[in-house]
Amino acid sequence: MIKREKKIPGSVKEKSEGIKAGGPCAVSKKCGGCQFSGMAYKKQLSLKQKQMEELLGDFAPVEPVLGMKDPFYYRNKVHHVFGRDKKGNVLAGCYEAGSHRVVDIGECLIEDRKSQEIIRSIKGMLRSFKIRIYDEDTGYGLLRHVLVRRGFSTGEIMVVLVLSSPILPGKNNFVKALLKEHPEITTIILNVNDEDTSMVLGKVSKTIYGPGFIRDTLCGCSFRISPQSFYQVNPIQTEVLYETALQFAGLIPDQNKSGTIRVIDAYCGIGTIGLAAAKAAPACSVTGIELNPDAVRDARLNAKENGIRNARFIVGDAGRYMEELADAGERADIIFMDPPRSGSTEQFIDAACRMDPSRIVYISCGPESLKRDLKYFQKKGWKAVRIRPADLFPLTEHIETVCLLSNTQSKKKEF
Ligand code: SAH
């Protein structure tokens, strides 16, 4: 006979079973980050599928959303703001939705567990190191936020302590004590944010342990990540997303051997998509364009460290730079574009079309702005031929989409 385990309400076992089923999070209402908290993952995916079909179905059939096998603890970037409750207890978590009240997060269901453990350890160390929590109202106190980033494939971990002033008293002992508890930490950075702002990081950073960055591996390339650089927060699904993008671009390893394929990676961040393309198809010549100079510095170093010579990176506004290229009569074969949530611009799209590519692959984290931009592309004779959503943000309402566009008026042969 099989013995049934008795369920104790609220026990760890019941909690974890509930969590597996998409079960409740104690602070989901206050935090507001997970709009689908408590909903089974299958249902979340079918809801996202339906929403995308309603929004984009008129452009092209929406292919089935690429979901995750295990949709929990996927975030490689964990940020907690610090505060105190009325009794003076230290709180670490997020701002209550629509306010500046700090909600203490015991355990978040989507953030990396190890990173959360590190933040809990720091919270526990504050009293003995006499580190005071910053008070937004009075401007007194030192510690504002802790940010932890973990390279899932390398195991490297970055801890950023965001302080209101550059001096951390007892710094060396603090580092020693933190490393004793978490020897897996590979770098610790002090960041100074003395402004009255909702931005987490200030402009000045100082590395107090390790190299000041971590590495992670995606699509066979290794990437250096600085505290300020954009890096997708769900690396498992990012690989799925980029593989789909490369497939839509027709860049299949060992093919496209002859000639040079001119590839643009617009809004390139630290060069992830362009470098994956350059590695997959050595016949590519990649130009990456990105506004953030730190990210471009990382992209250039990433190319070097991966032995990739067929990629260059430019600091600049993507729309303006594309216009300059188009004005100079430059052509492209493939254009990847991965703009921020607000989408791209007419200036960019006009220039991209003038560069007469065979394919445009649009990677979007903002379905509404994607719809707007697809409409504009349509006016210019460019049609969406494939649309594939990828769920990079389980439990939340957000979604990424890869869209392949082709020129309906072009009779040109593909590269
Ligand atoms: N393709 C990268 C980054 C995508 S996020 C990746 O997958 O990791 C969007 C990027 O666009 C950010 O790095 C942001 O700094 C950059 N960006 C925002 N506005 C821009 C503009 N006008 N011109 C160029 N880059 C821009």
Side-chain angles (χ1 to χ4, degrees):
M1 198 176 84
I2 301 166
K3 258 195 184 169
R4 276 186 179 236
E5 274 184 44
K6 211 172 135 190
K7 267 193 188 167
I8 306 156
S11 69
V12 172
K13 186 153 195 307
E14 191 187 54
K15 267 191 198 154
S16 68
E17 279 172 356
I19 287 167
K20 268 195 196 130
C25 156
V27 296
S28 75
K29 281 222 169 74
K30 280 188 177 167
C31 158
C34 292
Q35 299 80 11
F36 295 162
S37 176
M39 191 189 289
Y41 190 50
K42 254 192 172 166
K43 190 152 177 229
Q44 294 175 38
L45 287 179
S46 66
L47 204 67
K48 287 185 178 182
Q49 181 73 27
K50 201 164 152 252
Q51 284 168 348
M52 296 304 280
E53 281 168 5
E54 278 168 12
L55 196 70
L56 304 173
D58 286 345
F59 294 102
V62 176
E63 296 169 35
V65 53
L66 295 156
M68 276 193 100
K69 267 203 193 112
D70 177 4
F72 297 104
Y73 308 109
Y74 58 81
R75 278 186 70 96
N76 57 9
K77 179 179 173 184
V78 178
H79 154 241
H80 285 191
V81 58
F82 278 71
R84 283 189 184 279
D85 66 12
K86 282 183 189 136
K87 290 183 191 147
N89 299 315
V90 177
L91 308 170
C94 61
Y95 289 118
E96 193 171 329
S99 89
H100 264 218
R101 268 191 304 275
V102 177
V103 179
D104 195 67
I105 297 179
E107 186 178 347
C108 170
L109 299 183
I110 62 173
E111 293 173 343
D112 174 50
R113 279 174 144 153
K114 174 58 74 186
S115 306
Q116 294 193 65
E117 234 176 73
I118 292 171
I119 295 181
R120 278 196 289 273
S121 299
I122 293 173
K123 189 178 168 191
M125 286 163 63
L126 297 177
R127 183 193 275 264
S128 54
F129 282 87
K130 297 192 175 64
I131 297 172
R132 290 183 54 195
I133 305 294
Y134 179 77
D135 183 323
E136 275 192 359
D137 296 326
T138 62
Y140 286 117
L142 187 63
L143 182 69
R144 297 186 73 161
H145 311 266
V146 175
L147 175 74
V148 182
R149 292 179 107 169
R150 185 162 82 87
F152 279 15
S153 64
T154 58
E156 294 180 16
I157 297 178
M158 168 196 292
V159 174
V160 186
L161 304 168
V162 184
L163 310 178
S164 61
S165 88
I167 307 217
L168 176 67
K171 181 187 78 190
N172 294 345
N173 286 337
F174 182 84
V175 168
K176 225 193 244 168
L178 185 58
L179 289 173
K180 194 168 173 221
E181 251 182 82
H182 295 285
E184 60 278 15
I185 294 172
T186 52
T187 192
I188 304 175
I189 293 152
L190 294 186
N191 175 274
V192 185
N193 187 350
D194 55 7
E195 287 177 36
D196 184 13
T197 168
S198 55
M199 299 283 285
V200 176
L201 295 180
K203 291 186 192 84
V204 181
S205 288
K206 189 176 157 209
T207 304
I208 56 171
Y209 174 75
F213 60 85
I214 52 164
R215 285 200 179 80
D216 199 20
T217 318
L218 278 179
C219 302
C221 293
S222 141
F223 293 100
R224 163 197 286 255
I225 306 156
S226 301
Q228 302 268 17
S229 297
F230 174 88
Y231 186 67
Q232 288 280 8
V233 295
N234 181 340
I236 296 167
Q237 287 296 87
T238 301
E239 275 202 328
V240 172
L241 181 78
Y242 291 168
E243 273 158 17
T244 308
L246 295 191
Q247 194 201 350
F248 279 15
L251 288 173
I252 297 154
D254 292 334
Q255 282 191 354
N256 323 111
K257 268 186 179 153
S258 60
T260 299
I261 307 162
R262 294 156 303 183
V263 175
I264 300 280
D265 177 12
Y267 311 92
C268 68
I270 58 170
T272 35
I273 298 171
L275 291 174
K279 181 143 187 173
C284 282
S285 154
V286 176
T287 302
I289 313 156
E290 162 64 46
L291 205 52
N292 176 350
D294 285 349
V296 170
R297 191 201 54 214
D298 281 350
R300 288 176 183 149
L301 288 165
N302 286 331
K304 217 181 208 173
E305 285 174 9
N306 286 284
I308 293 172
R309 294 212 184 90
N310 47 332
R312 62 180 187 136
F313 295 93
I314 312 282
V315 182
D317 170 73
R320 209 167 310 143
Y321 189 74
M322 289 288 280
E323 196 172 67
E324 280 172 26
L325 289 180
D327 286 348
E330 294 272 343
R331 296 280 172 267
D333 296 302
I334 297 165
I335 296 177
F336 291 101
M337 53 188 289
D338 184 10
R341 192 160 292 157
S342 53
S344 189
T345 59
E346 293 189 357
Q347 182 189 38
F348 181 95
I349 296 172
D350 286 338
C353 297
R354 277 165 65 208
M355 289 177 79
D356 195 25
S358 304
R359 297 175 182 208
I360 296 177
V361 180
Y362 191 145
I363 299 123
S364 158
C365 58
E368 299 283 347
S369 57
L370 174 64
K371 181 177 175 173
R372 181 201 65 212
D373 290 345
L374 288 183
K375 270 191 191 154
Y376 192 68
F377 266 118
Q378 234 173 12
K379 271 197 205 158
K380 316 237 49 158
W382 280 77
K383 194 176 172 305
V385 285
R386 293 190 70 177
I387 297 176
R388 185 102 210 223
D391 191 18
L392 268 73
F393 315 104
L395 280 145
T396 81
E397 62 191 1
H398 301 291
I399 186 120
E400 290 268 338
T401 313
V402 190
C403 178
L404 171 64
L405 289 128
S406 109
N407 186 349
T408 49
Q409 286 142 20
S410 173
K411 294 193 180 72
K412 160 169 127 167
K413 258 179 50 186
E414 291 220 342
F415 43 85

